[in-house]
Amino acid sequence: MRILLLRVIAILVTFIGLYMLSQFVTYQMDPYYFQVLIECGVYIILAVSLNLINGITGQFSIGHAGFFAVGAYVGAAWTMIWQPMVVGRYSFLQMGTLHGDILNLLIALVLGMISAGMAGFVVGLPSLRLRGDYLAIATLGFAEVIYVLLLNINSVGGARGLNGIPTLISSGNLALFWIFLFVIISIVLSRNIMQSVRGLTWLSVREDEIAADAMGVDTTKVKVTAFVIGSALAGAAGVLYAHFLTGISPDIFSMNTSILITTMVVLGGSGSVTGSVIAATVLIVLPEMLRFLKNDRMVIYSVLLIVMMLTRPQGIFGTKEIGFPKWRRKQPKTEGRSA
Amino acid sequence: MRIFIQQLIFGIQLGSLYALIALGYTMVYGVLSLINFAHGDVYMVGAYIGFYACTYWLPFQRISADPHAAVMNIVLAVVVLLLSMLMCGALGVVIERFAYRPLRNGLGITDAHFWGFALSLPVAFHFHLFHKVSDGAGRFLFGIMWFLLIGVIVGYALRPVIRWISLRTVLSPSRLNALITAIGVSLLLENGGWLVFGPNPEFIGTMVPEKNFKILGGVIINSSQLAILVISLILMLILRHIVLHTRTGKAMRAISHDIEAAKMMGINTDKVISVTFAIGGALAGAGGMMVGVLTHVQITPLFGLLPGIKAFVAAVIGGPGNIPGAVLGGIIMGVAEAFVGGSSFSTYRDAIAFTILIIILLVRPAGLLGRNVAEKV
């Protein structure tokens, strides 16, 4: 009972705190810094969700921008194409008021997450047959196919992209609220998965798939679940990003984005949620900080990347975590995570 | 039917270029199980070397001005091809030595010098130390001397830093690490190319005489298409000879079989891996040079990216590590792309590569010619 109360209080505090913060920050902050902050948030969601697939379950997916794109385009398609079709019949879907905006955004989120999750299911299925590098190439190929399809489907703008998406999350300055709500959701989800019994099966698939199989872990189910959850979160990031930018084009979801997200996970230490968060922040902020170098900045960036990989191959954090207090009752010491 | 054969010839020409790049991928994958993402950028560098050799370094004559210059130009073009292969092979060795070897064996003290040069490159550009050849040989050489000087100084300064780091580095055999390092090298080459070659697209004019031949039923085959086919075939035959009939080739096959066992048999694996990278780089350089000189595409620092990825897809389709597979995959890829590009779905031509890839991976996960290795527990 006490734990339940604590949880409710924690959730309430999170909501109110985020709301206050977003109201405060949006008025006070320089728009440039605000943009960078939002981008950090979006990429944290992407990195943490890819970490579920790559770091915790030990699969090798490097096509995360594909799911990001599916979410963004399906979400945008709801607010731009499908919602105007049905709004005549269901007038409560009318946008413009606060609750109408929130309702529409929630529908867009649900649709985006479901479709991205379905895409994740489709991509996760080959992971039953493919391992390691082969799976990596298949996921990269999937992302590239999505990219080319988006370039060619005229109803979503083709190469011009989709512009004039209603900015549902910026009305009432809620952009920061929504995006960081999902940041928190993805982090808490990862933490809960890692600390639960179910999560131990995921980690066991990472450590040794054959042994896990032999011990009775349903590796198929674990891998596909990881793919579905990870891609659904990426889809949510896509919906939010599309409604923040109000204009998306396929170029946002090109192979470079996939590679950037993979780099975040590896740089932070695959398997470490803290690492993913920090690396996502660093990799978004660093190119901005290096802007004074003008043309040289990407050279320095790539050199730093190589040096980092050579000098600290396990990533910034390895598999360690910071700030994951175990609020619940004490867990047995024999936790399966390898340090 | 005529159009069909025409597209088929174009597809095979495109495919033989993909096959040349794919060979480098597949050989590196065979010996190291590493996806060498930077390989497409080596191809880009090959095209740029072709461009500089044709426009600045070698005395090419205008064919239209002097009909006797044609023979001379063809000889020079062969020199450009060899030069491009040589320099790209060297680039491949450098990449392996300074990015992938530390990943396997740990950082060594001599690696400091490479990082010294790499870091002083942007500095040299920032202070405009480099001059074009056209600015005069003296200024050009002077700029290079400055760069070398700064590079050596920075390298010596980095020595203690590298030593300090190497003592604290824990080697990790993770595949993802190798992949990210390869991506970093690829980014470095692209952005370094942006600085060195400039962002403007370059273009190589007609350097060797071109002629259209009509063969059965009005099908036209261009002399440069023919040249690409013949040169690729010759290179592939040389490669086949090297891999199957020389000691180095034998060592390469041994390493791709089992690197630990090869080491125990006294094979100098580092040296053989270097040779592999040299051969792969040389093939990519030849491909890049032929694309630039014979098909006159626009060359930009980013133009190696997509052919690189497609060639990698070709290597995977044929079965990574399998040399005939890479050629087969390249041809399949080129022909499919030519047919899709020639049909009304031409905007989908970049997607076809990946669609074929996903289908083949699902049906035959080890590639068309690859062997399925049973996993022992």
Side-chain angles (χ1 to χ4, degrees), chain A residues 278-308:
Chain A
I278 304 240
T281 316
V282 167
L283 285 187
I284 293 297
V285 174
L286 189 67
E288 304 292 334
M289 279 168 63
L290 290 179
R291 266 192 201 280
F292 71 94
L293 291 168
K294 300 196 183 78
N295 294 330
D296 312 340
R297 80 183 170 122
M298 288 313 286
V299 175
I300 303 265
Y301 175 81
S302 47
V303 168
L304 281 180
L305 190 63
I306 302 174
V307 168
M308 188 68 208

Side-chain angles (χ1 to χ4, degrees), chain B residues 37-376:
Chain B
F37 252 98
H39 199 61
D41 300 301
V42 175
Y43 164 82
M44 175 272 290
V45 172
Y48 265 103
I49 290 169
F51 167 74
Y52 282 109
C54 284
T55 33
Y56 296 115
W57 298 344
L58 292 178
F60 274 92
Q61 315 251 310
R62 287 177 70 97
I63 309 171
S64 53
D66 178 12
H68 298 291
V71 181
M72 191 58 198
N73 273 8
I74 292 177
V75 174
L76 283 178
V78 174
V79 174
V80 174
L81 179 71
L82 294 178
L83 187 73
S84 185
M85 286 175 69
L86 195 72
M87 289 173 83
C88 286
L91 180 65
V93 173
V94 168
I95 290 173
E96 192 274 331
R97 173 66 186 80
F98 291 103
Y100 302 145
R101 194 176 293 179
L103 208 62
R104 271 180 287 135
N105 303 347
L107 274 175
I109 200 86
T110 44
D111 291 337
H113 292 284
F114 172 73
W115 293 109
F117 286 121
L119 287 175
S120 54
L121 189 67
V123 176
F125 270 93
H126 196 78
F127 294 106
H128 302 288
L129 290 181
F130 285 122
H131 294 280
K132 287 204 177 113
V133 188
S134 50
D135 291 351
R139 294 184 76 183
F140 176 72
L141 286 177
F142 202 61
I144 291 188
M145 292 285 282
W146 261 114
F147 166 66
L148 290 179
L149 190 66
I150 298 174
V152 169
I153 294 172
V154 175
Y156 273 99
L158 277 180
R159 268 181 168 234
V161 181
I162 296 278
R163 188 172 160 70
W164 188 84
I165 292 171
S166 67
L167 290 176
R168 283 160 186 77
T169 307
V170 185
L171 287 183
S172 129
S174 158
R175 291 276 185 83
L176 263 171
N177 274 320
L179 189 75
I180 300 292
T181 312
I183 288 169
V185 174
S186 164
L187 282 176
L188 181 64
L189 284 178
E190 279 161 18
N191 296 305
W194 210 265
L195 286 184
V196 177
F197 305 131
N200 297 331
E202 307 282 8
F203 176 79
I204 308 175
T206 310
M207 290 294 158
V208 289
E210 286 173 16
K211 215 172 172 180
N212 288 338
F213 302 106
K214 271 197 178 166
I215 50 172
L216 31 93
V219 178
I220 295 170
I221 181 163
N222 193 305
S223 61
S224 38
Q225 279 181 328
L226 214 57
I228 290 177
L229 283 177
V230 171
I231 295 174
S232 315
L233 200 65
I234 293 173
L235 291 177
M236 285 167 200
L237 287 178
I238 295 175
L239 177 72
R240 184 185 152 81
H241 175 78
I242 292 176
V243 172
L244 290 182
H245 301 292
T246 63
R247 279 181 75 85
T248 318
K250 207 172 184 181
M252 255 178 230
R253 282 179 286 146
I255 291 179
S256 71
H257 211 75
D258 189 337
I259 188 163
E260 292 302 319
K263 255 182 216 165
M264 278 181 238
M265 292 298 123
I267 294 174
N268 187 348
T269 48
D270 282 345
K271 200 178 118 197
V272 177
I273 288 169
S274 280
V275 173
T276 312
F277 271 84
I279 294 173
L283 291 177
M289 179 271 171
M290 287 197 288
V291 160
V293 176
L294 296 174
T295 66
H296 313 294
V297 293
Q298 284 197 332
I299 309 171
T300 65
L302 288 180
F303 106 118
L305 195 64
L306 208 55
I309 299 277
K310 283 182 189 160
F312 178 66
V313 169
V316 176
I317 285 179
N322 186 316
I323 288 175
V327 177
L328 178 69
I331 301 286
I332 291 177
M333 198 61 89
V335 171
E337 202 178 311
F339 281 130
V340 173
S343 72
S344 53
F345 298 106
S346 58
T347 45
Y348 286 92
R349 57 177 254 183
D350 290 339
I352 184 71
F354 296 100
T355 319
I356 297 178
L357 169 82
I358 292 173
I359 293 170
I360 287 191
L361 278 184
L362 288 181
V363 180
R364 276 188 69 89
L368 284 178
L369 300 184
R371 273 174 310 145
N372 249 326
V373 183
E375 208 163 325
K376 286 185 195 131

Side-chain angles (χ1 to χ4, degrees), chain A residues 217-232:
Chain A
V217 174
D218 189 350
T219 51
T220 308
K221 199 174 139 197
V222 165
K223 287 193 279 186
V224 174
T225 320
F227 261 100
V228 170
I229 295 180
S231 45

